[in-house]
């Protein structure tokens, strides 16, 4: 099935632009109405872009602040599965989750997107302390999270990355073979979206591809990816570059951002990893 769908993936820019236009007509990234019924949801608009904070209802206490940066290739807003995942983070982990709908390409580039996310991260740190803040991102949101933290002054309690996109140039040779069976992404798509996001920067500039940036200040990190995901190449390289700081979990045969898919049994294992990781870093920080 993967090989069948792989042949249908676009290999020129026009279909990508058409797909982007169609997708944006279908959704603007707003959470579903059910989220407002089950959680306390605050919406702020900053420079024309929305920032949501999702918390338990009734003013229930939370044990930490989670900044979530959703994926979408730097071009698409969050999907329904993102909001399902975010709701479960709030319920399961007992945190307040701030979801940043950062400026998207091709209208905006990485400097603006990273700066926007960084401003919100700094606000959370100023209000709660870095020891009480977690950062999480999936796919492009994972790349943005790492690029943002490479520019930040304070290191958060922990970082969680779900199939992060860390090399916009798609330079790893292993991706050639994975691409033959990958049904969602290919190297052409990654490089095209990467160019839109990069603007005047090169694709391997750390602002665009944080895998090539400074990893010395990486916080304790949980890294999740599936072996059938073309971005597993990025995950493996990050894990190899920071072995003492990264807890890397790779599931054999799993697709892109599989923890967002509740019907996969492997997603249950991912949730166990997430809970264990958050318990560890918040307890460790509280003890300090």
């Amino acid at each position: 099935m993967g090989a069948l769908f792989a042949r249908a993936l676009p290999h020129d820019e026009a279909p990508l632009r058409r797909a982007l236009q169609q997708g944006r007509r279908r959704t603007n990234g707003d959470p579903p109405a059910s989220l407002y019924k089950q959680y306390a949801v605050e919406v702020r608009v900053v420079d024309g872009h929305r920032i949501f904070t999702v918390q338990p209802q009734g003013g229930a206490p939370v044990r930490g602040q989670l900044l979530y940066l959703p994926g979408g290739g730097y071009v698409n807003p969050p999907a329904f599965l993102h909001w399902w995942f975010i709701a479960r983070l709030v319920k399961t982990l007992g945190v307040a989750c701030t979801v940043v709908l950062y400026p998207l390409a091709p209208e905006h580039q990485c400097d603006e997107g990273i700066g926007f996310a960084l401003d919100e991260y700094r606000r959370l740190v100023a209000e709660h302390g870095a020891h009480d803040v977690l950062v999480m991102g999936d796919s492009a949101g994972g790349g943005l999270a790492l690029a943002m933290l490479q520019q930040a002054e304070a290191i958060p309690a922990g970082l969680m990355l779900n199939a992060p996109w860390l090399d916009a140039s798609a330079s790893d040779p292993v991706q050639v073979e994975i691409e033959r069976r990958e049904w969602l992404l290919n190297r052409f798509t990654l490089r095209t979206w990467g160019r839109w996001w990069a603007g005047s920067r090169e694709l391997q500039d750390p602002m665009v591809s944080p895998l090539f940036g400074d990893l010395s200040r990486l916080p304790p990190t949980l890294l999740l990816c599936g072996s059938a995901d073309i971005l597993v190449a990025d995950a493996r390289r990050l894990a190899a570059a920071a072995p003492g700081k990264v807890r890397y979990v790779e599931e054999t045969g799993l697709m892109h951002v599989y923890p967002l898919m509740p019907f996969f049994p492997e997603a249950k294992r991912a949730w166990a990893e997430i809970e264990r990781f958050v318990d560890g870093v918040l307890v460790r920080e509280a003890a300090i």
Side-chain angles (χ1 to χ4, degrees):
M1 289 294 291
L4 178 65
F5 283 110
R7 289 196 292 271
L9 291 174
H11 289 80
D12 61 77
E13 195 164 333
L16 286 178
R17 289 191 178 272
R18 286 196 298 270
L20 176 59
Q21 293 168 359
Q22 293 167 3
R24 288 186 178 179
R25 283 196 293 267
R26 288 193 297 268
T27 180
N28 65 355
D30 276 351
S34 59
L35 192 77
Y36 290 88
K37 296 177 181 178
Q38 300 175 41
Y39 299 90
V41 182
E42 173 193 318
V43 187
R44 292 182 291 120
V45 179
V46 179
D47 296 332
H49 303 282
R50 287 161 297 151
I51 299 173
F52 295 85
T53 300
V54 184
Q55 303 183 71
Q57 285 187 336
V62 296
R63 61 171 179 154
Q65 302 291 321
L66 174 60
L67 177 66
Y68 194 95
L69 302 174
Y74 296 124
V75 299
N76 293 300
F80 173 81
L81 281 174
H82 284 111
W83 290 112
W84 172 88
F85 189 79
I86 288 161
R88 186 169 175 182
L89 288 170
V90 173
K91 180 178 181 179
T92 303
L93 302 179
V95 297
C97 188
T98 298
V99 186
V100 177
L101 273 59
Y102 49 88
L104 298 173
E107 296 86 356
H108 308 276
Q109 281 74 53
C110 62
D111 291 72
E112 187 176 353
I114 292 170
F116 188 82
L118 183 57
D119 284 346
E120 187 61 18
Y121 173 72
R122 286 170 172 159
R123 184 190 70 81
L124 288 172
V125 168
E127 291 186 8
H128 304 281
H131 64 279
D132 202 33
V133 176
L134 302 161
V135 177
M136 187 172 196
D138 68 272
S139 195
L144 176 57
L146 184 55
M148 177 196 75
L149 291 178
Q150 288 173 351
Q151 306 297 315
E153 300 82 8
I155 300 174
L159 171 64
M160 294 178 283
L161 300 175
N162 178 8
W165 182 19
L166 306 176
D167 176 8
S169 69
S171 64
D172 195 305
V174 74
Q175 292 175 308
V176 177
E177 176 60 30
I178 296 175
E179 183 180 69
R180 296 172 183 169
R181 300 180 304 277
E182 167 69 85
W183 68 275
L184 184 62
L185 297 167
N186 62 13
R187 289 173 297 153
F188 174 81
T189 298
L190 293 173
R191 289 166 182 162
T192 302
W193 285 346
R195 287 199 310 272
W196 295 352
W197 181 246
S200 62
R201 293 181 180 271
E202 298 295 327
L203 285 184
Q204 291 195 348
D205 186 303
M207 290 283 282
V208 186
S209 299
L211 182 66
F212 306 115
D214 180 12
L215 302 176
S216 65
R217 297 174 63 246
L218 193 70
T221 300
L222 174 64
L223 176 58
L224 306 167
C225 202
S227 69
D229 183 348
I230 197 169
L231 297 184
V232 74
D234 295 9
R236 290 169 179 169
R237 285 184 286 173
L238 178 62
K245 297 182 179 180
V246 176
R247 160 71 175 155
Y248 179 42
V249 179
E250 181 178 311
E251 289 283 2
T252 302
L254 265 288
M255 60 182 288
H256 186 51
V257 296
Y258 74 88
L260 268 62
M261 317 295 177
F263 37 81
F264 285 137
E266 293 85 355
K268 294 181 180 179
R269 293 202 291 265
W271 274 102
E273 291 284 352
I274 290 169
E275 291 183 58
R276 186 158 47 245
F277 175 80
V278 170
D279 286 345
V281 295
L282 289 184
V283 167
R284 181 178 64 82
E285 293 295 336
I288 294 174

